[in-house]
Amino acid sequence: MTEKGKWVNARFDIDKGKYIIDESNKYGAEICSNCKEEAYADSDWGYKRFPYCPWCGAEMENSDYGL
């Protein structure tokens, strides 16, 4: 069975060296709630919220694309 996850807003904590989930931060990074890896981003369109996390394979409940 595929794990479930969602794309969440986060900020990078320099002291800890990792992303921290922060839903109130609307201008930070978007990461997978399952593996905490950053979503794919490109310079023209920003973050791409794919239906599956490219890092851990979790099925995302809030992707930009239908399954």
Side-chain angles (χ1 to χ4, degrees):
M1 183 173 172
T2 303
E3 291 189 46
K4 302 283 185 180
K6 70 178 191 172
W7 298 115
V8 294
N9 293 326
R11 61 180 170 77
F12 191 79
D13 187 316
I14 294 173
D15 295 330
K16 295 180 180 178
K18 63 181 182 178
Y19 283 105
I20 306 297
I21 294 175
D22 183 358
E23 288 290 338
S24 66
N25 185 357
K26 301 299 180 194
Y27 300 104
E30 287 191 35
I31 65 171
C32 171
S33 64
N34 192 42
C35 68
K36 312 297 188 275
E37 291 289 339
E38 192 172 1
Y40 173 79
D42 70 30
S43 60
D44 294 329
W45 299 100
Y47 285 101
K48 302 289 187 188
R49 299 186 309 174
F50 293 114
Y52 292 91
C53 175
W55 304 104
C56 70
E59 183 178 349
M60 301 309 217
E61 63 184 52
N62 62 337
S63 73
D64 292 332
Y65 309 94
L67 291 177

